[in-house]
Amino acid sequence: MSGWTYVLTSPLTILLVDDDPIFREFAMVNLGSPGVAIHAAADGVEGLSLARALRPDVLLVDAEMPKLDGFAVTRQVRSDALLARLPIIMVTGRDDIGSIDKAFEVGATSFTAKPVNWRLLSYQIKFVMRATISGSCTCHDHVKMA
C-alpha cells in the first residue's frame, strides 16, 4: 500500500452549506488540499448568496438547516440560470428513502449520509466533477428521465 495522498488534486472551489460549525470545521480539514478552496455558510440563505457570489465548482449542502433547508436551496439553485448546472451533493444525517428520493427529485447530483467517510466523500466529489466536466452529467437533467 502506498503512502497517503490527496484525492482532490485539481484546482477546485467547494461551497459547504451546513448549520453545524463542527462539521464545517471537519470538512475544511478533511477536504482541504493545495489548490482546493473551501468556503462555508451556516444556513441556506447565506449559502445561496455565497453560491451566487463565488460561483463554486461544487456545492455540498445539508438537508436540515435553519432559514432555508437543503431541499429548498437545491430547488433555488436549479431555477437560477447562472447556477442551474452546479453539481450538488446532499450531505445529511437523513438517510431514509423519502429524503434520498426528495434530494434527487429537487435536483441533487449525488447524496451521501452522515457520519461522513471523508475519503469516500473526496472521491465522490472528484467523480461528480469529472462527470460534470466531461459532459456526461447535466446535473439535474437526470431527474426528468422517468
Side-chain angles (χ1 to χ4, degrees):
M1 187 164 175
S2 64
W4 186 88
T5 60
Y6 290 112
V7 172
L8 301 173
T9 56
S10 299
L12 182 67
T13 301
I14 297 171
L15 175 56
L16 169 67
V17 184
D18 195 298
D19 60 321
D20 182 342
I22 295 169
F23 184 81
R24 290 193 309 268
E25 196 61 38
F26 272 111
M28 298 284 200
V29 170
N30 287 286
L31 297 175
S33 65
V36 174
I38 304 173
H39 301 271
D43 61 63
V45 173
E46 181 186 4
L48 278 173
S49 178
L50 271 175
R52 289 179 179 122
L54 296 171
R55 303 284 306 274
D57 298 305
V58 64
L59 176 64
L60 307 180
V61 63
D62 187 18
E64 295 182 23
M65 295 182 292
K67 299 184 184 175
L68 197 62
D69 69 22
F71 302 109
V73 169
T74 301
R75 262 191 225 100
Q76 287 193 30
V77 166
R78 291 294 174 240
S79 67
D80 185 315
L82 293 175
L83 300 173
R85 296 181 63 85
L86 175 64
I88 301 172
I89 301 174
M90 182 109 18
V91 182
T92 181
R94 298 175 66 173
D95 65 353
D96 59 284
I97 291 171
S99 296
I100 294 166
D101 288 348
K102 185 175 181 180
F104 287 106
E105 286 167 7
V106 298
T109 310
S110 190
F111 186 99
T112 194
K114 295 176 183 174
V116 170
N117 177 318
W118 295 103
R119 190 71 168 185
L120 185 57
L121 180 57
S122 295
Y123 276 106
Q124 193 172 8
I125 292 167
K126 180 177 181 170
F127 292 116
V128 162
M129 292 308 306
R130 184 168 66 189
T132 301
I133 291 167
S134 73
S136 62
C137 173
T138 56
C139 298
H140 69 289
D141 290 344
H142 67 278
V143 175
K144 299 174 187 170
M145 296 177 10

